[in-house]
């Protein structure tokens, strides 16, 4: 972060004698640590106390863990196998305990001799390995270990303190080896340049940076750890918020054309023909947007609202206001299915107001055109012409809108639906199509906790729609454990038949298409026996084409089953959606192409196969496709994961609440390692190491205030060279672009 020459030294060269080229290589490739500074900022994940033991009972499945525990017993077994037919195969089983639980370690073949001599009952050691399940019991196979000798013979200086730091490690590099490497470079922490302005640091009683680095890696007390973490959290929150504050400051300097609706124009005509009144939330958010549109700087607003809260209505009214003011509005959708759906619903809502220049069009009418990559040449030519002449006030489309050929008469507003599916370059390209920067409205149905909005979307003002329009029904969700209780799955298909018998329709969602073009899951490496758990984990995700065929022949025989996925020809996709919308299909077996925006009020039940392969927010989005009419919705999450696995806990959380904000908190806590700055855009490892976006809400909010004030006073940070250095390190090229184009 605050890299200066001593901290910029590559790990490869200066420390050959200590780290060795092999260790430096593993650190670079597996942990993304390239310099001395990177290593100093690789903080311990937690600390073990000499006399205290980890909770073996809470170990996460399939994760690489480090535990400190005591050997309870060790037994050597002989067995026959293909390699050792005469019963000469050897297996060492060691049970370790920490008072909270027991864990089995297994060693095979020639690997049994050393641990058999060293891991005697009563021995304490650190063990590192990947947690797996065998015969329904947790185990570590062939773990690496380091003995802890509590008396004077302990030579390893790194265990001298009472608190043992445990680092985020990998199978190739155990925590204690990382600890030894950190010890080697720790003296250079004295040269770290402090990014925080002295007044801020002293005013908040924070430690100087070199002291914080020393205490996080070599704490003597728990107070040392707390003080160091408080200080390092501030670094992360503050540097990030300064980056965003500079971005907002730069945006506020850009010119834009103010767009105010005419008092008796298109918007008024549209509102007059609405068959219902807008919810209070919709009215409030609309006012915020109209105020922004009336200013001489581009609006940058994030509109978040639950699935079905009426975001499209709010966005459409903003687009009509801009058309009233003589401009054009473009709406970007992530998929063709969704673009077509938006186009259909917008033209239906507008009626004759969408028939500008046609017979029967109303006096204030404009044209609403659709532009997607798969349109025929003639239709496309006409759409492009309508845009360049200004005949079309509203265009709805996919990435096709961004191509060089597309020219606008006067682009005033860009609405981006489901922002997380759009790369930064695409938004930037569309913004470049206006004579001056157009206003920008970003919509998402993935609820984002306030602190994440302040970090990920820190350069956008936020509006929230949290009321559901009248007439939406509740959705019941249940987990279906297909492996433990196969009869539950049979019952799920019965429920689908019952809903269809009552005149409703169903979705079945699968993670994969199944035509195996570039999507085959990599087969397991040849050789080596796999446990049944491994097999379940490694099998390819269920596929639309196979599942549809099995259902049609089996549990759903006699029902009208169709498939929908992203590789179908756009016309075929559209035809399938039209048939489903019209009620001519009973069950639609689909991939996540139906995740956003698809609106079929008669669909009441959704079965999600291999639900554990989807993220929390994705499951919430998918579930929002049912219960859109007057009948209640039902969502069944099918999984083969064992009950104790994190995947099952995640599904349980989704089933237990319909509150998207609550789910997004759960999702975030589980994916906290993800890079908050460039989640979708940057492959770089996490820029946040000690800052937990959910827990540290206060720090982030305070850092945002401090950063905004500081940037207003000194936008170029001329008086703060340490902070400038830290910013440069945070905003490597990729992230710099992410913020630049946000």
């Amino acid at each position: 972060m605050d890299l200066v020459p001593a901290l910029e030294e590559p790990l490869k060269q200066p420390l050959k004698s200590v780290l060795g080229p092999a260790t430096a290589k593993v650190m670079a490739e597996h942990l993304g640590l390239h310099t001395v500074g990177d290593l100093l900022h690789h903080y311990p994940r937690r600390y073990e106390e000499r006399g205290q033991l980890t909770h073996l009972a809470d170990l996460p499945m399939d994760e690489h863990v480090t535990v400190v525990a005591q050997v309870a017993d060790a037994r050597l077994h002989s067995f026959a196998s293909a390699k050792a037919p005469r019963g000469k195969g050897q297996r060492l089983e060691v049970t370790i305990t920490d008072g909270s639980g027991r864990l089995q370690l297994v060693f095979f073949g020639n690997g049994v001799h050393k641990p058999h001599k060293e891991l005697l009952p009563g021995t304490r050691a650190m063990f590192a390995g990947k947690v797996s399940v065998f015969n329904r019991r947790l185990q570590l196979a062939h773990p690496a270990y380091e003995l802890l000798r509590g008396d004077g013979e302990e030579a390893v200086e790194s265990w001298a303190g009472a608190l043992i730091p445990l680092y985020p490690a990998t199978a190739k590099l155990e925590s204690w080896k990382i600890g030894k490497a950190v010890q080697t470079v720790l003296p250079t922490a004295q040269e770290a340049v402090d990014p925080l302005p002295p007044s801020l640091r002293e005013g908040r009683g924070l430690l100087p940076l070199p002291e914080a680095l020393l205490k996080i890696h070599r704490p003597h007390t728990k107070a040392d750890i707390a003080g160091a973490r408080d200080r390092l959290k501030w670094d992360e929150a503050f540097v990030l918020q300064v980056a965003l504050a500079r971005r907002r400051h730069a945006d506020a300097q850009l010119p834009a054309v103010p767009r105010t609706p005419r008092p008796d124009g298109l918007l008024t005509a549209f509102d007059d023909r609405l068959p219902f009144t807008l919810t209070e939330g919709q009215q409030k958010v609309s006012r915020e947007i109209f105020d922004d549109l009336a200013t001489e700087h581009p609006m940058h607003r994030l509109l978040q609202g639950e699935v079905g809260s009426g975001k499209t209505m709010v966005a459409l009214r903003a687009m009509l206001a801009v058309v009233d003011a003589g401009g054009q509005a473009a709406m970007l959708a992530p998929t063709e299915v969704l673009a077509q759906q938006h186009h259909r619903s917008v033209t239906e809502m507008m009626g004759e107001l969408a028939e500008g220049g046609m017979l029967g069009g109303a006096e204030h009418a404009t044209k609403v055109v659709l532009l997607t990559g798969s349109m025929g040449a003639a239709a496309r030519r006409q759409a492009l012409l309508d845009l360049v002449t200004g005949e079309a006030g509203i265009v709805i489309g996919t990435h096709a809108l961004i191509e060089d050929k597309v020219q606008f008469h006067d682009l005033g507003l860009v609405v981006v639906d489901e922002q997380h599916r759009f790369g930064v370059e695409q938004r930037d390209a569309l913004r470049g199509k206006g004579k001056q920067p157009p206003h920008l409205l970003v919509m998402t149905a993935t609820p984002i906790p306030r602190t994440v909005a302040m970090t990920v979307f820190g350069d956008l003002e936020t509006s929230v729609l949290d009321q559901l329009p009248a007439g939406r029904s509740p959705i019941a969700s249940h987990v279906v454990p297909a492996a433990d209780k196969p009869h539950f799955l049979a019952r799920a298909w019965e429920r689908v038949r019952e809903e269809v018998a009552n005149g409703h329709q169903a979705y079945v969602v699968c993670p994969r298409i199944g035509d195996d073009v570039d999507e085959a899951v990599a087969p397991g490496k040849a050789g080596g026996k796999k446990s049944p758990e491994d097999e379940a984990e490694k099998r390819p995700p269920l596929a639309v084409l196979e599942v549809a065929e099995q259902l049609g022949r089996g549990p759903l025989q006699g029902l009208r089953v169709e498939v929908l996925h992203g590789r179908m020809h756009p016309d075929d996709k559209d035809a399938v959606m039209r048939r489903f919308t019209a009620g001519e299909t009973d069950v639609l077996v689909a991939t996540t192409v139906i995740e956003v925006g698809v609106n079929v009020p008669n669909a009441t039940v959704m079965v999600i196969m291999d639900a554990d392969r989807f993220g929390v927010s994705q499951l919430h989005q998918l579930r929002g496709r049912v219960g859109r009419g007057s009948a209640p919705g039902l969502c069944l999450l099918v999984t083969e994961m064992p009950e104790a696995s994190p995947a099952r806990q995640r599904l349980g959380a989704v089933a237990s609440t319909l509150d998207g904000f609550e789910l997004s908190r759960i999702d975030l806590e589980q994916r906290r390692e993800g890079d908050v700055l460039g989640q979708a855009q940057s492959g770089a490892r996490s820029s946040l190491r000690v800052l937990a976006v959910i827990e540290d809400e206060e720090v982030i909010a305070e850092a945002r205030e401090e950063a905004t004030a500081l940037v207003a006073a000194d936008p170029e940070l001329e008086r703060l060279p340490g902070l400038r250095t830290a910013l440069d390190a945070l905003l490597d090229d990729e992230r710099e672009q992410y913020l630049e184009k946000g």
Side-chain angles (χ1 to χ4, degrees):
M1 203 147 135
D2 24 58
L3 305 183
V4 295
L7 302 196
E8 276 172 9
E9 286 211 33
L11 289 171
K12 274 188 184 146
Q13 288 143 15
L15 308 166
K16 270 190 183 144
S17 56
V18 186
L19 280 198
T23 308
K25 186 169 184 250
V26 172
M27 283 194 171
E29 287 176 6
H30 293 272
L31 295 168
L33 307 176
H34 302 278
T35 65
V36 171
D38 288 346
L39 184 52
L40 284 176
H41 286 295
H42 187 70
Y43 309 131
R45 179 169 278 169
R46 57 193 174 84
Y47 302 83
E48 281 299 349
E49 284 181 79
R50 262 291 140 65
Q52 202 191 37
L53 297 156
T54 5
H55 284 293
L56 290 182
D58 304 337
L59 287 182
M61 276 286 296
D62 276 346
E63 275 193 30
H64 208 85
V65 297
T66 305
V67 295
V68 176
Q70 194 161 0
V71 176
D73 67 49
R75 294 177 188 182
L76 195 59
H77 301 277
S78 300
F79 62 91
S81 70
K83 285 186 183 162
R86 295 206 184 88
K88 295 231 175 103
Q90 289 198 305
R91 180 173 80 245
L92 175 66
E93 289 180 3
V94 178
T95 306
I96 57 172
T97 177
D98 67 347
S100 78
R102 296 165 85 81
L103 180 66
Q104 186 123 24
L105 315 178
V106 288
F107 301 88
F108 292 99
N110 296 335
V112 304
H113 306 305
K114 185 167 175 271
H116 191 218
K117 281 209 295 277
E118 293 183 336
L119 298 179
L120 304 170
T123 310
R124 288 171 49 76
M126 297 174 78
F127 301 93
K130 191 173 177 186
V131 183
S132 58
V133 173
F134 187 70
N135 287 343
R136 299 199 167 258
R137 285 167 68 192
L138 291 180
Q139 71 165 24
L140 295 181
H142 283 286
Y145 62 87
E146 176 97 341
L147 301 180
L148 294 175
R149 303 180 177 90
D151 47 334
E153 63 182 285
E154 182 167 3
V156 186
E157 191 246 4
S158 44
W159 311 137
L163 292 160
I164 304 169
L166 295 186
Y167 289 88
T170 76
K172 298 261 188 332
L173 198 63
E174 292 88 18
S175 167
W176 52 87
K177 289 185 182 161
I178 296 171
K180 286 172 188 169
V182 170
Q183 294 302 333
T184 312
V185 300
L186 210 45
T188 50
Q190 292 309 324
E191 301 181 43
V193 173
D194 203 320
L196 294 188
S199 57
L200 189 155
R201 197 187 80 227
E202 286 151 20
R204 292 187 175 272
L206 297 167
L207 297 177
L209 182 59
E211 191 184 329
L213 287 171
L214 207 61
K215 284 183 168 170
I216 197 116
H217 291 295
R218 295 284 320 261
H220 291 294
T221 62
K222 291 198 172 156
D224 283 355
I225 300 170
R229 289 180 74 89
D230 286 348
R231 160 63 219 241
L232 295 165
K233 275 179 185 181
W234 255 94
D235 275 20
E236 288 181 10
F238 183 68
V239 174
L240 179 54
Q241 290 301 337
V242 166
L244 293 162
R246 291 184 72 191
R247 173 83 187 92
R248 288 195 301 276
H249 185 269
D251 277 343
Q253 314 306 312
L254 291 174
V257 180
R259 311 278 180 177
T260 37
R262 291 207 306 277
D264 54 351
L266 189 54
L267 180 61
T268 312
F270 176 75
D271 284 349
D272 290 345
R273 49 171 289 140
L274 278 181
F276 52 82
T277 51
L278 298 174
T279 64
E280 266 172 58
Q282 285 174 318
Q283 290 173 10
K284 175 175 152 285
V285 170
S286 288
R287 280 195 297 276
E288 292 171 350
I289 291 171
F290 289 157
D291 289 348
D292 282 0
L293 289 174
T295 65
E296 293 182 355
H297 302 294
M299 163 170 83
H300 284 103
R301 192 167 279 282
L302 172 70
L303 170 57
Q304 43 170 328
E306 283 284 12
V307 174
S309 58
K311 292 184 300 296
T312 313
M313 173 62 72
V314 169
L316 176 55
R317 293 183 74 245
M319 296 199 291
L320 296 174
V322 168
V323 175
D324 265 350
Q328 289 169 295
M331 186 181 213
L332 242 73
T335 64
E336 294 214 348
V337 167
L338 192 52
Q340 287 161 340
Q341 176 116 10
H342 274 320
H343 182 253
R344 262 205 302 278
S345 59
V346 165
T347 45
E348 278 166 20
M349 283 197 270
M350 287 176 63
E352 74 265 23
L353 296 176
E355 295 168 3
M358 299 184 228
L359 279 173
E363 76 169 299
H364 297 298
T366 186
K367 243 187 187 180
V368 180
V369 298
L370 175 69
L371 192 62
T372 62
S374 62
M375 283 168 71
R380 187 181 170 78
R381 235 188 342 266
Q382 184 59 52
L384 290 172
L385 189 65
D386 288 341
L387 284 180
V388 77
T389 58
E391 188 82 12
I394 294 177
V395 58
I396 296 169
T398 53
H399 297 73
L401 275 179
I402 298 163
E403 290 171 14
D404 293 342
K405 292 200 259 328
V406 181
Q407 297 297 323
F408 289 86
H409 177 64
D410 179 12
L411 181 60
L413 170 68
V414 175
V415 179
V416 180
D417 192 18
E418 285 310 320
Q419 189 270 352
H420 61 278
R421 291 158 170 261
F422 271 103
V424 175
E425 290 73 21
Q426 294 140 331
R427 289 207 306 276
D428 198 42
L430 195 57
R431 271 166 61 173
K433 299 235 178 237
K435 295 187 177 70
Q436 284 192 330
H439 298 281
L440 176 69
L441 179 65
V442 169
M443 301 198 296
T444 177
T446 310
I448 303 163
R450 174 172 160 258
T451 45
V452 186
M454 284 195 294
T455 42
V456 183
F457 299 104
D459 53 340
L460 300 174
E461 298 299 322
T462 306
S463 297
V464 178
L465 272 178
D466 43 16
Q467 282 172 297
L468 285 187
R472 292 297 302 265
S473 302
I475 305 169
S477 306
H478 302 284
V479 178
V480 177
D484 308 352
K485 300 180 175 160
H487 58 287
F488 276 37
L489 183 58
R491 176 72 190 116
W493 300 126
E494 282 172 24
R495 284 291 292 115
V496 171
R497 294 193 80 97
E498 286 163 17
E499 288 297 312
V500 172
N502 288 333
H504 296 302
Q505 291 159 280
Y507 295 102
V508 177
V509 181
C510 304
R512 204 165 58 100
I513 297 172
D515 52 9
D516 290 331
V517 185
D518 295 334
E519 62 163 11
V521 173
K525 293 187 178 66
K529 291 285 285 172
K530 296 198 176 53
S531 71
E533 285 76 13
D534 265 358
E535 290 303 331
E537 180 63 16
K538 296 291 184 296
R539 74 161 169 73
L542 291 170
V544 166
L545 300 175
E546 294 149 22
V547 168
E549 193 186 338
Q550 287 162 10
L551 290 176
R553 284 204 316 266
L556 302 185
Q557 201 171 1
L559 301 187
R560 297 169 296 179
V561 178
E562 285 210 61
V563 299
L564 178 69
H565 60 74
R567 283 212 201 96
M568 290 165 62
H569 187 280
D571 292 350
D572 297 341
K573 276 194 279 201
D574 200 35
V576 168
M577 267 324 293
R578 280 179 193 278
R579 285 196 292 276
F580 190 64
T581 309
E584 293 162 22
T585 307
D586 299 320
V587 180
L588 188 61
V589 182
T591 55
T592 53
V593 289
I594 60 150
E595 179 185 348
V596 282
V598 172
N599 186 18
V600 180
N602 191 41
T604 53
V605 59
M606 174 177 285
V607 181
I608 302 178
M609 308 303 292
D610 277 343
D612 48 90
R613 312 251 180 163
F614 298 96
V616 169
S617 55
Q618 209 175 18
L619 290 168
H620 182 58
Q621 288 280 352
L622 284 165
R623 168 171 67 183
R625 302 297 118 221
V626 294
R628 297 178 79 85
S630 52
L634 172 66
C635 177
L636 301 173
L637 307 166
V638 180
T639 177
E640 291 186 1
M641 283 289 145
E643 196 161 354
S645 62
R648 272 286 281 281
Q649 288 161 8
R650 205 170 62 229
L651 295 180
V654 175
S656 67
T657 177
L658 288 174
D659 180 344
F661 284 92
E662 178 55 30
L663 283 175
S664 67
R665 288 179 83 97
I666 293 167
D667 194 20
L668 203 85
E669 277 161 6
Q670 292 186 330
R671 288 184 311 137
R672 168 156 131 210
E673 303 296 312
D675 187 332
V676 168
L677 244 194
Q679 271 171 330
Q681 277 75 8
S682 160
R685 73 206 155 85
S686 176
S687 61
L688 299 188
R689 297 179 179 88
V690 281
L691 192 69
V693 177
I694 291 290
E695 294 150 35
D696 299 321
E697 186 161 340
E698 235 165 85
V699 176
I700 293 171
E702 288 172 21
R704 181 178 167 115
E705 270 174 47
E706 294 266 13
T708 307
L710 181 117
V711 169
D714 180 9
E716 294 307 309
L717 310 180
E718 278 158 10
R719 298 192 287 280
L720 296 163
L723 179 55
R724 282 223 305 277
T725 311
L727 264 183
D728 295 341
L730 173 78
L731 303 178
D732 51 38
D733 292 345
E734 266 186 301
R735 297 211 188 94
E736 181 72 76
Q737 286 172 351
Y738 176 77
L739 285 176
E740 273 310 303
K741 297 176 179 175

